[in-house]
Amino acid sequence: MDPMSGPHVIRGSVALPEAELAWRFSRSSGPGGQHVNTSDSKVELSFDLARTEALPEVWKRRALERLAGRLVDGVLTVRASEHRSQWRNREAAAVRLAALLAEATAPPPKPRRPTRIPRGINERRLREKKQRAQTKRGRSGQDWG
């Protein structure tokens, strides 16, 4: 299976626009073999959310609002350095970015409509409550000789 398996879909027919992704590679910290000091396996993937044309306008507004704390000048950056190979880190970063955007552009949840508690259930609760109070009142032990 090819790790760079085509475009990373955000949702529906919208995918990460390859042309708008900026990659940066640097040396990764952490363990590695003989090759480790010469290979740039850490990946930084940047996506200019503020200027992109790839997202529907509504999604873009939603994402800018929700990711405000993560953006630097409207640019969203994701890092990946958990794999030794740059290729796998690139894949991980792209997947992470797609997931972030999918979450940030999701429509807000429908407001919860409170449901009515059936009368029988409410009455039973009150009955049991009275019963418990009665039991506890009986424990006060004033007339215990």
Side-chain angles (χ1 to χ4, degrees):
M1 185 189 113
D2 178 18
M4 276 302 213
S5 47
H8 289 276
V9 176
I10 296 171
R11 206 171 53 249
S13 59
V14 182
L16 279 181
E18 202 57 54
E20 294 183 28
L21 300 180
W23 298 92
R24 255 185 58 215
F25 307 104
S26 55
R27 302 221 173 120
S28 202
S29 62
Q34 291 141 322
H35 189 54
V36 75
N37 296 330
T38 57
S39 63
D40 292 343
S41 59
K42 179 180 174 184
V43 171
E44 269 187 34
L45 174 57
S46 301
F47 176 62
D48 195 337
L49 188 55
R51 291 190 191 80
T52 185
E53 298 292 312
L55 297 178
E57 200 51 48
V58 192
W59 287 24
K60 195 162 128 177
R61 256 202 317 277
R62 235 181 255 157
L64 284 168
E65 209 171 283
R66 291 186 187 164
L67 298 171
R70 283 200 59 153
L71 299 175
V72 181
D73 300 331
V75 178
L76 177 63
T77 305
V78 176
R79 287 174 198 82
S81 59
E82 62 268 22
H83 300 291
R84 277 190 191 177
S85 99
Q86 185 196 93
W87 195 247
R88 289 184 48 203
N89 279 333
R90 285 175 70 152
E91 182 71 2
V95 166
R96 212 167 287 167
L97 184 64
L100 253 176
L101 288 171
E103 204 174 300
T105 57
K110 287 193 172 68
R112 181 187 170 287
R113 281 187 36 224
T115 52
R116 277 194 56 218
I117 299 169
R119 210 174 77 210
I121 289 179
N122 215 8
E123 284 174 359
R124 188 179 72 202
R125 181 181 63 86
L126 293 174
R127 245 198 333 274
E128 286 171 359
K129 199 172 157 148
K130 273 201 181 82
Q131 188 64 50
R132 248 190 322 276
Q134 198 67 45
T135 306
K136 290 184 174 187
R137 216 174 295 124
R139 290 183 190 149
S140 64
Q142 291 139 339
D143 48 340
W144 269 28

